Every structure is written in structure tokens, then in C-alpha cells.
Amino acid sequence: MTTNTVLTLSCPDKPGIVASVSGFFAQKGFNIEESTQHEDRQTGRFFLRTAFTCADCDDQTLASLREEFSAIAAEFDMEWQLRDQDQRMKIVLAVSKWGHCFNGLMHKWRAGTLPVDIVAVVSNHDDMRNSCEWYGVPYYHLPVSNENRPEQEAQILQIMKDTDAELLVLARYMQILSDNLCRQLSGRAINIHHSFLPGFKGAKPYHQAYERGVKLIGATAHYVTADLDEGPIIEQAVERVSHANSPDELVEIGRDVETVVLNRAVNWHAQHRVLMNGNRTVVFRR
Ligand SMILES: Nc1nc2c(c(=O)[nH]1)N[C@@H](CN(C=O)c1ccc(C(=O)N[C@@H](CCC(=O)O)C(=O)O)cc1)CN2
């Protein structure tokens, strides 16, 4: 049986990292499918993502591979992860009233072009229930207010635990997550912000954009942190607009940009193509 494995790592840059990594896997009969690297010259940190296949490694478990590789990892003081690329990432979507990003992800998943499994949808409104149930995915209507926010967030965490979900996607979920939830989901929650950050933070960026008279509008997918709209950016895109566009037209144009940007960010995260670099990211996109 062919095994598809992906290694991601970062470590202080020095000679011999790639040679050691590729030598280890070559010696075990693995073939390199794709390998991409980056050196951050400001910090001297090295980043690597390498995808391997092995046509006949039945006896080689991922656990034993990790154990054997850990010696090299220690030698180079690596932060690293070795994963089975055939295991699709389980994700939970969170949505409020606007369904364009939610439907975009559901469609890509059902079409087989998003390497994830959407295992649940949570919402503080009931608007997306019918669409969600049409896709056959459990829908959890969890109203939230300042009175019940800790309990509601605990329910979200419990759903992620019960479904073994590795990622929460805020697909236009218009509630600010608490510091506690952000800590628990660090690196495991992605939000789509409907502006080209750092411009127009907050809940109504299109109206801000209209008032400012911008000629480009955009969207930003980022990891969720306690600091609103400040998390590490994964992907951004823009679209040209003009003086002739009304605020509602900006919202409509923006929706398409948001949908594309969030699909890309979730796709790359699920393929382990996004590595953290402080409050920034290294994205080995495809
Ligand atoms: N801890 C974080 N939580 C969330 C983030 C984030 O970056 N960190 N992003 C938001 C999404 N978002 C912008 O992209 C956003 C959502 C909501 C608001 C806001 O002010 N909400 C109001 C309520 C609005 C409503 O009920 O419709 C509020 O919470 O008082 C700002 C930005 C998702 N969560």
C-alpha cells in the first residue's frame, strides 16, 4: 500500500538540514514528491515542507517513523510534525447569517476539491440549518450573548472534541471569541475578515471602505487570536471597485473574494502548507 507522508519543520538555519532529512527518508525507501523550503533572513529561521511517498512501507508505521526521525529533529532543534497525508483533516464550520463562505466550503468539500471532512456546523443563528442538513452535516444552533458566552464556547469546544475536529473555521461567524477559547484553539482556528487587512478592521469594513472611497476592496484569511483581526495572515486577495459602486455593491463584490480566499486558506492549512513564523506565516502554496 502506498503511504503518503508530509513532514513540516522549522529550526535555526544551518548547513545540512535538507541533506539529513532527505537522507533519512531516502534510506527508508521513501520518494520525495514535493519539497519546498524558506529561510527567514531576518530571524535566521529555516522552514521546510516535504511530501514523501513509499510504495511498500506497510511495516513502517507513522509512530515508528516519528520515533526514528526525532533524533534528527533534536540535533537541529526542530519544531516538526509528520503526518499521514491520506488522513483528511476533520473540521467544524462556524457561521452566523451570511452563507456565502459556508456554502463555498461545503460545495468544494462535496465536489471533492477540498481535502477535509466537515464534521459539524455551529451557528448563533438558525439561517444556515437547511443548507447544512441538505449536505447531511450535523447543525448546532448555539445562540450566544454576554450572559452565556462561556457556556456557549464550551459547547463549541465539546463538539470539536466529540468529532475529533482539528480546525474551527469562522466562515463569517460574527461573534468575538474569548481569550480563553483563542488560547485553546491557537493555530487551529481560521477566520475570514471581509477587508484587505490591516485596513478596515471590525464588523462593518465595507461601509468603512465606501466612506473612504477606496478603489480596491479585499478579504483576509487569518488565524484567530485574542486581538481582533490581528492574527497571522494566511491568504489575501483584492478586487477593483469604483466611485460608481454603492455600499451594497461593494458587499456583493466582496463576498466572492471572501469565498475564494477562505477556500484557499482552508485548503492549504489542511494540506499542512501553512507554517507559523511568529505572528506571520510561511505558506508553501500550490
Ligand atoms: N478573538 C477573535 N474572534 C473573532 C475574530 C478575531 O479576529 N478574533 N474575528 C471575527 C470576525 N470578525 C471580523 O472578521 C468580526 C466579527 C464580529 C465583530 C463584532 O464587532 N461583533 C459584534 C457583534 C456583531 C453581531 O452580533 O452581529 C460583537 O461581538 O460585539 C467584529 C469582527 C470572529 N471572531
Side-chain angles (χ1 to χ4, degrees):
M1 179 184 79
T2 297
T3 307
N4 295 301
T5 307
V6 61
L7 170 71
T8 53
L9 67 89
S10 68
C11 62
D13 190 31
K14 61 191 282 186
I17 300 169
V18 174
S20 298
V21 170
S22 54
F24 171 84
F25 285 95
Q27 175 259 334
K28 293 195 159 296
F30 276 73
N31 181 45
I32 292 178
E33 286 288 308
E34 178 192 340
S35 190
T36 324
Q37 62 192 67
H38 167 66
E39 182 203 350
D40 181 330
R41 295 184 190 286
Q42 310 311 313
T43 63
R45 200 155 178 85
F46 179 79
F47 299 83
L48 178 70
R49 177 188 186 274
T50 301
F52 304 88
T53 64
C54 181
D56 174 23
C57 287
D58 293 5
D59 57 349
Q60 179 77 68
T61 66
L62 206 49
S64 63
L65 207 54
R66 286 180 180 133
E67 190 174 333
E68 293 165 43
F69 184 77
S70 59
I72 292 178
E75 179 191 345
F76 290 96
D77 187 21
M78 293 175 180
E79 291 177 21
W80 61 286
Q81 290 185 317
L82 198 55
R83 302 176 183 105
D84 177 351
Q85 254 202 318
D86 297 327
Q87 285 291 325
R88 290 198 304 210
M89 185 177 288
K90 293 183 174 67
I91 74 173
V92 170
L93 304 188
V95 60
S96 288
K97 286 181 173 287
W98 301 115
H100 51 288
C101 291
F102 161 82
N103 283 315
L105 289 165
M106 294 296 251
H107 172 69
K108 288 275 188 187
W109 169 54
R110 258 298 184 273
T113 56
L114 192 65
V116 301
D117 278 327
I118 301 176
V119 291
V121 174
V122 298
S123 177
N124 57 324
H125 296 288
D126 219 34
D127 299 57
M128 289 302 119
R129 177 184 292 280
N130 293 344
S131 304
C132 181
E133 291 175 348
W134 184 85
Y135 283 103
V137 175
Y139 188 85
Y140 298 87
H141 179 203
L142 307 173
V144 63
S145 66
N146 291 336
E147 281 65 48
N148 77 330
R149 198 171 301 279
E151 294 76 15
Q152 189 255 13
E153 291 190 345
Q155 288 176 291
I156 294 174
L157 276 175
Q158 190 61 47
I159 290 163
M160 289 194 69
K161 186 167 181 290
D162 294 345
T163 57
D164 293 324
E166 297 177 65
L167 179 68
L168 177 66
V169 179
L170 307 186
R172 290 299 294 278
Y173 179 71
M174 300 309 287
Q175 291 295 314
I176 299 172
L177 305 187
S178 68
D179 296 9
N180 172 52
L181 186 57
C182 291
R183 264 193 306 278
Q184 298 199 58
L185 292 177
S186 178
R188 298 191 297 133
I190 292 174
N191 176 59
I192 184 68
H193 181 72
H194 38 317
S195 85
F196 188 69
L197 289 173
F200 310 133
K201 295 173 181 169
K204 294 192 178 306
Y206 291 121
H207 293 73
Q208 296 176 58
Y210 178 80
E211 292 308 322
R212 185 70 185 80
V214 298
K215 305 309 176 193
L216 292 169
I217 59 168
T220 303
H222 62 90
Y223 288 109
V224 177
T225 60
D227 304 321
L228 190 60
D229 305 328
E230 294 286 347
I233 292 171
I234 304 166
E235 174 64 340
Q236 296 183 288
V238 295
E239 188 63 50
R240 183 166 293 284
V241 296
S242 85
H243 58 275
N245 291 119
S246 68
D248 287 347
E249 286 171 343
L250 295 186
V251 170
E252 190 52 33
I253 294 165
R255 284 191 185 130
D256 295 341
V257 185
E258 294 166 41
T259 303
V260 168
V261 167
L262 186 59
N263 280 338
R264 287 177 187 161
V266 172
N267 193 350
W268 295 332
H269 177 89
Q271 293 183 63
H272 316 294
R273 291 179 177 279
V274 186
L275 284 64
M276 287 297 188
N277 184 14
N279 195 42
R280 297 177 292 129
T281 63
V282 173
V283 181
F284 294 130
R285 55 184 290 171
R286 180 86 177 255

